[in-house]
Amino acid sequence: MLPPRRFRRRITAITACLCLVLLYHFSRFQSSFHGQRRVGCPPLPGMDDVLVVLKTGVTEALDKVPVHFRTTLRCVPNYIIFSDFEEEINGVQVHDAFRNMDPDVKGTVPDFSIYNRLVQHGREGLETADFADEANSAIGKPNNPGWKLDKWKFLPMVQETLRYKNDAKWYVFMEADTYYSWGTLLEWLSHFDASKPWYIGTETQIADVIFAHGGSGFAISNPAMQRVAKAYAERNVELNEYTDAHWAGDCVLGKVLADVDVPLHFSWPILQNTNIGELDEFTTAFYRRPWCFPAVAFHHLSARDVQDLWNFEQHRWSKKQKTLLLHGDVFKELIYPNLSPFRDNWDNLSDEEHSEITTFDECQSLCKDKPDCVQFSFRSGSCFTGKTPKLGMSSSEARSGWAMKKVEAMLHDAPACSSVEWGAE
């Protein structure tokens, strides 16, 4: 027997109230959770319109990815991680880039040997040779199984990314040894119309294909992503054959973008293919002088480097309330404070050799007397000098120094950057 109508109305009202209370508390919980996750994050207007895509591989992921959860990705609301092995790292899902790829390719192409072992046996299927490192050559690392497989990720990754989130305005790609200054990125991208097809990255060329260097990071607008996904779906067999014959996946992606009338927009020096130690902020050897350009991304970074850059930006935000980072700022605030007349166990990458000089003191004197010498390094029993100041890196085989007064003079004469050079023209 049904309860009287007035009781049914009362039950309905009570149920509705309970639902509203639960919904309110759930929303409060969600807001509280996201607020905690982003404590210390600067305002990043426009970040909700960006999907960050991090590409990694099974042999490096456990070493290189975790640092990003507490640094690079900590303030990012939308991101996805792709690898050649599906797993969780620190509770975060890592997706298989090849999940929906043509099984015939995965089953017959030798490059997928490591992948098929992973599918069958998980990480236990890895072999010692899979972890063998190899110096990067003119054609990459052809004897490294993970590196050979990596080229196959780019086109499937575009499709999988759109399956995950097809309404982002920008898709920003990075690798596990890349660091982004998000506030700088967003200000830079605001100078481009995301409703148009854009492919933006550090220009690299193989044969007749000009493409964005993958490790430096690159950005693709939604319309351009849609064109690539459509082309890969329609020309799947052809493009898989092209990838098989090639050795660089970022070049393959660039070729497809060119095929669909989305040429590369050159970004150097905004997206860097070097780390902080190798940066030459005073160089005049290229078509742009870096000083007044945004410093959006850096590459070839260790986990410690990523953490240090994050700490630097966090400190900078807390003290100056600034998120825009120019290359001049990088030198003044990050490189210059670490220069000194001499530094033991350090190589500042001076490159002009003076083999007749056989001691550190003589090397220092030579640099002091040479008008255009601003730094020197004594390594392997020989003296090297440099005309522009670089930070360099730790080395037990070297001792370095800088001609500080000359460096200070260069700093004094550097542009004031009254306007930022966005490189969007």
Side-chain angles (χ1 to χ4, degrees):
M1 178 183 295
L2 291 173
R5 183 173 297 176
R6 66 178 183 275
F7 290 112
R8 293 205 303 270
R9 287 199 298 267
R10 188 175 298 172
I11 291 169
T12 302
I14 292 171
T15 302
C17 288
L18 284 171
C19 288
L20 287 171
V21 169
L22 288 171
L23 182 62
Y24 170 76
H25 283 289
F26 179 69
S27 65
R28 285 288 300 272
F29 170 77
Q30 280 193 313
S31 299
S32 173
F33 173 77
H34 287 299
Q36 288 178 359
R37 185 170 66 86
R38 299 182 191 176
V39 166
C41 294
L44 295 173
M47 200 70 211
D48 286 337
D49 296 324
V50 174
L51 178 65
V52 176
V53 184
L54 190 156
K55 177 178 69 67
T56 187
V58 66
T59 58
E60 69 169 20
L62 297 183
D63 294 326
K64 295 184 177 181
V65 171
V67 69
H68 291 286
F69 299 140
R70 61 180 183 268
T71 59
T72 324
L73 298 176
R74 184 173 176 272
C75 298
V76 174
N78 305 306
Y79 67 85
I80 186 168
I81 303 173
F82 287 109
S83 178
D84 39 30
F85 179 56
E86 186 166 322
E87 61 182 334
E88 281 192 5
I89 299 178
N90 291 13
V92 178
Q93 183 64 44
V94 176
H95 299 264
D96 178 359
F98 305 119
R99 172 188 287 271
N100 294 300
M101 191 178 179
D102 184 348
D104 289 340
V105 174
K106 294 188 287 187
T108 59
V109 175
D111 291 343
F112 282 87
S113 171
I114 181 175
Y115 175 78
N116 292 323
R117 282 188 275 117
L118 288 166
V119 170
Q120 292 177 10
H121 306 292
R123 283 189 168 271
E124 290 72 22
L126 290 171
E127 300 172 355
T128 303
D130 297 329
F131 292 92
D133 200 9
E134 181 182 4
N136 217 347
S137 69
I139 55 170
K141 302 179 180 181
N143 298 312
N144 184 295
W147 187 90
K148 288 193 295 182
L149 180 62
D150 188 77
K151 70 179 182 181
W152 290 94
K153 294 173 188 166
F154 285 82
L155 294 180
M157 197 166 61
V158 168
Q159 289 190 323
E160 295 299 320
T161 295
L162 289 174
R163 286 191 181 102
Y164 178 79
K165 184 174 175 60
N166 65 5
D167 61 348
K169 290 183 179 179
W170 290 102
Y171 296 87
V172 175
F173 291 79
M174 63 180 291
E175 297 189 359
D177 60 349
T178 308
Y179 178 86
Y180 274 96
S181 169
W182 296 123
T184 310
L185 170 86
L186 294 170
E187 289 201 51
W188 177 47
L189 288 182
S190 71
H191 290 78
F192 297 86
D193 182 353
S195 68
K196 296 180 179 179
W198 284 104
Y199 169 43
I200 310 170
T202 298
E203 55 274 19
T204 311
Q205 185 167 1
I206 297 176
D208 60 345
V209 180
I210 298 174
F211 61 98
H213 179 250
S216 305
F218 55 94
I220 303 180
S221 65
N222 190 298
M225 284 282 285
Q226 301 290 348
R227 290 190 190 185
V228 174
K230 184 173 184 291
Y232 187 47
E234 293 175 348
R235 301 163 53 199
N236 188 265
V237 173
E238 172 203 343
L239 291 176
N240 283 336
E241 290 176 351
Y242 182 82
T243 303
D244 192 23
H246 213 288
W247 58 269
D250 43 7
C251 182
V252 172
L253 176 60
K255 185 232 188 277
V256 177
L257 279 155
D259 288 347
V260 295
D261 297 320
V262 186
L264 178 69
H265 181 86
F266 292 10
S267 73
W268 191 90
I270 296 167
L271 301 172
Q272 278 289 324
N273 58 1
T274 60
N275 57 42
I276 298 296
E278 297 171 335
L279 280 179
D280 185 350
E281 302 292 29
F282 289 92
T283 184
T284 57
F286 302 101
Y287 65 99
R288 289 170 173 167
R289 184 177 178 181
W291 197 261
C292 294
F293 280 88
V296 168
F298 306 96
H299 183 40
H300 292 306
L301 303 173
S302 67
R304 175 62 184 272
D305 293 333
V306 171
Q307 184 69 60
D308 287 347
L309 280 167
W310 167 262
N311 292 343
F312 164 72
E313 283 211 287
Q314 289 297 100
H315 178 76
R316 191 170 186 263
W317 164 250
S318 67
K319 296 296 183 183
K320 301 183 178 183
Q321 302 293 291
K322 290 179 67 175
T323 57
L324 177 62
L325 185 67
L326 303 184
H327 275 283
D329 298 326
V330 172
F331 184 83
K332 289 183 290 186
E333 300 175 32
L334 196 57
I335 297 174
Y336 177 71
N338 289 290
L339 308 186
S340 59
F342 61 87
R343 187 168 180 177
D344 292 330
N345 300 313
W346 196 264
D347 185 0
N348 62 18
L349 307 178
S350 297
D351 56 2
E352 185 179 338
E353 186 173 9
H354 305 272
S355 56
E356 74 280 6
I357 304 297
T358 58
T359 70
F360 176 84
D361 290 340
E362 289 177 325
C363 191
Q364 187 177 36
S365 296
L366 173 68
C367 186
K368 181 180 179 181
D369 294 338
K370 283 172 60 72
D372 60 353
C373 177
V374 298
Q375 67 173 38
F376 61 96
S377 177
F378 191 78
R379 60 181 184 266
S380 303
S382 192
C383 173
F384 295 82
T385 59
K387 297 178 181 179
T388 54
K390 295 181 181 180
L391 177 58
M393 59 196 66
S394 175
S395 171
S396 60
E397 305 297 322
R399 190 183 187 197
S400 297
W402 293 263
M404 294 305 295
K405 288 186 178 180
K406 296 178 186 177
V407 175
E408 289 161 8
M410 294 180 73
L411 192 53
H412 179 269
D413 293 338
C417 299
S418 55
S419 61
V420 177
E421 298 189 64
W422 295 107
E425 64 281 349

